[in-house]
Amino acid sequence: MTQGRDEVFDNAELAPGDEHAEGGVGARVLGYLTGLGLAILLTATSFFVAGTDLVWEPSIPVALVVLAIAQMGVHLVFFLHITTGPDNTNNVLALAFGILIVILVMGGSLWIMANLNHNMMPMDQLMQMQR
Amino acid sequence: MSTIALTDAHHGSVAGREWSGPASKRIVTGYGFWIFILSDMVMFSALFATYAVLLGQTAGGPGGRELFDLRNVAIETGFLLASSFTCGLASIAADTRQPTWFQLAMAVTCAFGLGFLFLEVQEFASLVARGAGPTRSAFLSAFFTLVGCHGLHVSAGILWLLTMMTQVLAKGFRADIQRRILCFALFWHALDIIWIAVFTVVYLIGSAR
């Protein structure tokens, strides 16, 4: 058994975070630079959209969420090297399950709490009844 | 189809490739750590849900618009993004076994991480000094829990980073050290991904209210 990174290429799978190293060091650095550039672009857009009057105001939170998800995608692909390749199936499946739970927890909480809030009697009336 | 599959299996080949034995230690370790990171994200999602639910519950106290300094947040974001990039360079240096480049990239990563923590601690201190500490309202409790939890992760990451620098110095790029570097890189990049959600949900959307 060879040591370190070399042991990776005996198998048809890749550890999460490992890159399919076809290019040399230059190509890999270029990959990280591409990710950095895209991330800076998306971050700058987020901060610009949040502070501008140019965009219709109710659309701003949606735009910010979309930009954030796009940037997470950039980080996953260029920094964590999660790809759609066959050597990454296990990593992607685990990620998909994680995303499912995250969506359930966040969406479910917001949905239920908004519903409770909507159906709850206004606080002053509640105080009146308790007297 | 099944006949073909059976024949293939009989010849020792599944789905057109040779069975090459169990996965290497690097894959098993990396995958296990990947599962941990995903569960950490699930924990953060609960904190995010709490924050989103309590966003309006300021109990007559200050809200995000009055409290957050977006310029400070932009600098913090830049620091963390830059540290994620240099952490990637450190992974490349580790893979190609260049100790000088590795130590240099890790040192820069550490400096950016410390810069981020410094700004965050400064922000927390100024909030508490202005009477907007975690006890002021449900909104601020949720804010300090979520952002503070991320800050604790970054602090732990910096300790881990220094450990990896020392271990490479003392033991070189052994296979087990390489696996730890892989896990550290996963952890550090994941922290940056969580920070994307923090600056979007907490600061940008939070200060729009």
Side-chain angles (χ1 to χ4, degrees):
Chain A
M1 182 74 95
T2 49
Q3 280 195 333
R5 196 182 159 75
D6 310 330
E7 70 183 345
V8 168
F9 306 109
D10 307 337
N11 285 53
E13 277 176 82
L14 273 182
D18 264 337
E19 236 175 324
H20 212 84
E22 262 142 23
V25 172
R28 293 187 62 191
V29 174
L30 202 66
Y32 279 102
L33 272 174
T34 315
L36 182 69
L38 285 172
I40 289 175
L41 204 69
L42 288 163
T43 307
T45 315
S46 284
F47 277 86
F48 170 75
V49 165
T52 185
D53 298 327
L54 292 170
V55 190
W56 184 54
E57 225 185 299
S59 73
I60 288 178
V62 183
L64 288 175
V65 169
V66 170
L67 284 165
I69 292 172
Q71 197 181 337
M72 286 175 187
V74 167
H75 281 236
L76 280 175
V77 170
F78 289 97
F79 292 166
L80 286 169
H81 313 298
I82 302 297
T83 67
T84 49
D87 49 11
N88 253 290
T89 317
N90 288 335
N91 306 338
V92 171
L93 280 178
L95 176 68
F97 182 65
I99 291 174
L100 172 74
I101 303 297
V102 166
I103 288 175
L104 285 179
V105 168
M106 294 193 56
S109 300
L110 285 172
W111 186 20
I112 289 171
M113 292 311 287
N115 232 312
L116 284 176
N117 221 4
H118 183 75
N119 289 327
M120 200 166 90
M121 190 180 285
M123 210 36 123
D124 46 337
Q125 286 180 37
L126 203 71
M127 298 292 226
Q128 291 288 333
M129 278 182 70
Q130 281 174 348
R131 252 174 222 173
Chain B
M1 271 315 278
S2 60
T3 335
I4 296 167
L6 274 175
T7 329
D8 271 357
H10 193 70
H11 287 292
S13 158
V14 181
R17 70 164 190 254
E18 291 294 318
W19 164 244
S20 48
S24 72
K25 249 187 167 167
R26 188 177 173 92
I27 289 171
V28 174
T29 311
Y31 190 70
F33 199 74
W34 183 230
I35 302 287
F36 159 73
I37 282 175
L38 292 168
S39 65
D40 214 29
M41 289 194 170
V42 168
M43 184 206 71
F44 267 104
S45 78
L47 296 180
F48 274 109
T50 313
Y51 178 85
V53 165
L54 296 175
L55 189 50
Q57 312 299 317
T58 51
R65 193 191 283 276
E66 297 98 79
L67 291 177
F68 299 149
D69 174 15
L70 289 188
R71 215 176 63 89
N72 194 46
V73 179
I75 300 172
E76 282 179 279
T77 306
F79 277 179
L80 216 53
L81 186 56
S83 81
S84 216
F85 174 70
T86 53
C87 175
L89 297 186
S91 315
I92 298 176
D95 290 343
T96 50
R97 294 156 184 270
Q98 292 168 304
T100 319
W101 281 110
F102 174 79
Q103 300 288 359
L104 191 70
M106 289 293 261
V108 176
T109 309
C110 180
F112 279 126
L114 286 175
F116 169 85
L117 272 183
F118 175 74
L119 287 176
E120 185 156 272
V121 168
Q122 214 178 27
E123 187 201 14
F124 281 8
S126 100
L127 284 178
V128 173
R130 280 191 281 166
T135 51
R136 179 61 190 87
S137 63
F139 159 68
L140 280 163
S141 300
F143 167 79
F144 275 94
T145 312
L146 172 53
V147 182
C149 190
H150 178 269
L152 280 180
H153 275 75
V154 175
S155 314
I158 286 176
L159 287 182
W160 191 358
L161 185 156
L162 293 173
T163 314
M164 287 332 296
M165 284 174 78
T166 324
Q167 288 199 330
V168 168
L169 206 63
K171 304 175 183 176
F173 293 117
R174 264 171 20 195
D176 54 344
I177 308 291
Q178 292 275 30
R179 288 196 295 272
R180 288 174 204 166
I181 294 172
L182 173 77
C183 291
F184 166 76
L186 282 174
F187 185 73
W188 198 258
H189 291 311
L191 282 187
D192 202 18
I193 291 183
I194 291 170
W195 180 254
I196 299 170
V198 172
F199 82 69
T200 301
V201 174
V202 175
Y203 290 106
L204 296 183
I205 295 179
S207 62
R209 283 282 286 245

